[in-house]
Amino acid sequence: MSGTQDTPCPYRATTPKGVTVTTKDRSLQALGLDDVPAKQPLTYPGRPTTEPSLLTGGELLQLDVRPLRLGEWYVEERQEQQRLDEALADLGQVGTGHRHPVIAVGSNASPGQVAHKLTRLGIPATVPMVPVRVHGIGVGCSGHISPAGYVAGTPYVDPRAETTLVVTWLDSTQLKAVDDTEFPDYRRAILPGDAFAMTMPSGERLGGAYIYFSAHGVLADPATGQARPGGGDQAELLAALLAGSARLRELLGPDPATWVRRAGADRALRERGTLVFGEEGWVLPQTDFLPYVDDASELRLYDDLPPLDDSLPRRA
């Protein structure tokens, strides 16, 4: 964990609204961000966005960062730039203040996966996505096998960790759709910004954000007894798990491609494989998030979570 103080990141100068700008092809395919791990399990967790962006259907538009709240940043459109909240309104979508900030750990940071999850349900895939520096959260591997056959990521509390994670701003319908893909294997918590510092590229310290954590615990590295690092190459992870357990090799082997093919097609096999994780002594319980579990009927909005510590300049 860095000992330096959080400082605002530089932001790019932007062209005023109405001035034509030239943009390259921003389709997910052209950007190489169209992987859908739900369809191609060995690509999990997919490719995350690496810059502040607005996902809108099959495109990912750049956001120009301002030292202001998210809705005041500029989005590059085909012909002109305009403020993000204005662009969302033009698309018939709610503004950032009425959206829920959700930290994405795993494939929910991948624009291709997010677009797939929403569009297959007929929900507009219009989502601001911003890489944010998060203190106190590490990324591990969930102690279960997902319905797609891969072993998904999960956060865990690590006071020493400093990780860049994508925060998605979801409207209520989008959040309900993501809930349905996560439950019951994951639970939702809301992390307070004063306990888990979350710093935007603008310098804003978020007052809080939602996060999903595994209900099945975190896989441990047998060599260290600590959480096994997640978020890396899925094939390498599955190969390591197969190498470490004769029972997994018998059940899902001999290789990662066979694992995802068999596990993705058979719920009973997934459940048996999940049990083997525990029988091998690989699963660490997740209790650190329990004080932050959110079961409230009224969900917190970005407008409900003001910046911390005067991290943004006061507006006149």
Side-chain angles (χ1 to χ4, degrees):
M1 180 174 176
S2 172
T4 60
Q5 293 183 337
D6 293 334
T7 56
C9 298
Y11 60 94
R12 302 201 312 262
T14 59
T15 306
K17 182 180 177 183
V19 176
T20 300
V21 297
T22 302
T23 60
K24 64 179 181 180
D25 185 352
R26 300 296 298 180
S27 69
L28 297 183
Q29 183 177 16
L31 296 172
L33 296 172
D34 58 338
D35 286 348
V36 179
K39 295 181 177 180
Q40 301 167 298
L42 290 181
T43 68
Y44 183 90
R47 296 182 177 90
T49 182
T50 59
E51 59 186 359
S53 307
L54 173 64
L55 173 66
T56 175
E59 291 188 313
L60 194 70
L61 306 180
Q62 292 175 297
L63 295 178
D64 284 336
V65 178
R66 297 290 182 101
L68 301 167
R69 294 280 272 177
L70 177 62
E72 297 296 309
W73 298 6
Y74 274 71
V75 56
E76 293 189 2
E77 300 218 28
R78 286 301 183 189
Q79 298 300 324
E80 65 179 26
Q81 292 184 326
Q82 62 183 151
R83 290 180 177 84
L84 176 55
D85 277 348
E86 294 173 346
L88 290 169
D90 284 354
L91 292 167
Q93 307 299 308
V94 298
T96 55
H98 290 85
R99 290 172 175 262
H100 312 280
V102 182
I103 300 171
V105 176
S107 63
N108 287 340
S110 164
Q113 182 88 327
V114 173
H116 169 74
K117 282 186 176 184
L118 298 176
T119 56
R120 70 186 180 90
L121 298 173
I123 299 170
T126 302
V127 181
M129 306 180 74
V130 180
V132 172
R133 192 167 74 253
V134 181
H135 293 255
I137 298 295
V139 177
C141 304
S142 178
H144 83 294
I145 301 173
S146 76
Y150 50 69
V151 174
T154 185
Y156 63 92
V157 174
D158 178 357
R160 301 164 299 175
E162 179 180 327
T163 311
T164 297
L165 298 170
V166 173
V167 175
T168 57
W169 269 258
L170 305 177
D171 68 27
S172 58
T173 301
Q174 292 167 341
L175 182 63
K176 174 61 168 60
V178 174
D179 276 352
D180 290 345
T181 68
E182 303 295 337
F183 298 158
D185 293 318
Y186 287 80
R187 301 183 69 183
R188 180 171 17 86
I190 185 162
L191 302 184
D194 55 358
F196 300 89
M198 297 168 266
T199 307
M200 298 270 278
S202 59
E204 176 183 353
R205 286 189 58 199
L206 294 176
Y210 288 103
I211 197 168
Y212 294 96
F213 67 97
S214 176
H216 299 275
V218 183
L219 287 184
D221 182 340
T224 65
Q226 303 300 309
R228 182 187 289 270
D233 183 271
Q234 182 70 191
E236 289 183 6
L237 170 62
L238 299 186
L241 296 176
L242 287 168
S245 172
R247 283 179 289 181
L248 284 178
R249 290 195 298 274
E250 180 180 356
L251 188 67
L252 296 168
D255 54 44
T258 304
W259 173 312
V260 296
R261 184 175 67 252
R262 297 186 67 188
D266 190 328
R267 178 176 179 176
L269 275 181
R270 295 195 297 272
E271 292 175 347
R272 287 168 60 192
T274 296
L275 287 174
V276 170
F277 290 168
E279 292 165 356
E280 294 285 4
W282 292 348
V283 180
L284 302 172
Q286 287 238 63
T287 58
D288 292 330
F289 287 116
L290 294 181
Y292 309 111
V293 168
D294 180 69
D295 294 320
S297 57
E298 291 290 329
L299 297 179
R300 305 289 293 278
L301 301 169
Y302 184 45
D303 271 354
D304 300 327
L305 300 163
L308 296 182
D309 302 333
D310 293 324
S311 54
L312 288 179
R314 295 182 183 274
R315 303 192 68 177

